[in-house]
Amino acid sequence: MAQIDIVVGSVYGAAFLVAETLMDELAGQGHECSLHEEARLEDISPTRFLLLVSATTGQGDVPPNLEAFAADLRERAPYMKGLHYALVAMGDSSYEHFCGAGRQLDTLLLELGAQALQPRLEIDATVVDEPEVVALAWLREWQGQL
Ligand SMILES: Cc1cc2nc3c(=O)[nH]c(=O)nc-3n(C[C@H](O)[C@H](O)[C@H](O)COP(=O)(O)O)c2cc1C
């Protein structure tokens, strides 16, 4: 069974609900999960799997509760080879920078040497009413690889 860090960035709660839903599923499969709502770099490790769920705020910005984590990645630029992760980017396609936060974080992780186990899931609030349902279906496609 895997040890999994779930890092969430949410303003109004939708991304948080997605993160909780995925955590319940993974814990139900026997994985050991920790949910980080005010994550810092120290909360993740190449010895564990990272599941990142981020809404977007402002003009393509990372939610405030994930700013410190994003700044850690940018400013401390840790070498992340060996870290495997998957990422759910949430946004609204009526904004110019669709899923800007999730896309930024995905790019940063890849630049730092981390490896995406799956292509990023992008959820558009203009077409999806229940993002947790979409995210759960996505997780079930690949969770056997954990
Ligand atoms: C003030 C505000 C700004 C937003 N800015 C963006 C944006 O720049 N790009 C985007 O794709 N979505 C944007 N969104 C949409 C949210 O990311 C989307 O609704 C998301 O599901 C919200 O998740 P949350 O409830 O966890 O905060 C914005 C929403 C609000 C309310």
Side-chain angles (χ1 to χ4, degrees):
M1 290 295 109
Q3 289 184 305
I4 302 174
D5 294 309
I6 302 172
V7 168
V8 61
S10 181
V11 180
Y12 297 105
F16 189 70
L17 178 60
V18 167
E20 278 191 326
T21 303
L22 300 185
M23 183 169 76
D24 287 349
E25 171 73 8
L26 289 164
Q29 297 295 313
H31 300 293
E32 194 182 308
C33 301
S34 308
L35 182 62
H36 304 282
E37 293 176 52
E38 297 283 342
R40 296 302 303 252
L41 192 55
E42 292 71 23
D43 294 322
I44 65 169
S45 161
T47 62
R48 301 191 296 268
F49 186 76
L50 169 64
L51 179 58
L52 213 156
V53 180
S54 184
T56 298
T57 190
Q59 301 292 324
D61 302 326
V62 170
N65 73 313
L66 207 49
E67 270 172 6
F69 182 80
D72 285 344
L73 293 183
R74 267 189 225 102
E75 291 159 21
R76 293 161 63 181
Y79 186 46
M80 294 198 138
K81 193 167 167 55
L83 178 75
H84 291 80
Y85 74 96
L87 191 148
V88 180
M90 294 171 58
D92 177 323
S93 59
S94 62
Y95 286 86
E96 186 182 346
H97 302 287
F98 177 56
C99 285
R103 289 180 182 182
Q104 278 179 54
L105 291 163
D106 203 8
T107 301
L108 270 169
L109 288 166
L110 289 171
E111 282 172 1
L112 294 169
Q115 191 179 331
L117 190 66
Q118 281 299 309
R120 176 179 67 235
L121 173 66
E122 295 188 342
I123 303 181
D124 183 351
T126 65
V127 289
V128 174
D129 285 336
E130 294 179 306
E132 65 282 6
V133 173
V134 172
L136 189 56
W138 169 80
L139 174 68
R140 286 180 171 156
E141 284 170 17
W142 58 266
Q143 66 181 353
Q145 296 175 45
L146 290 168

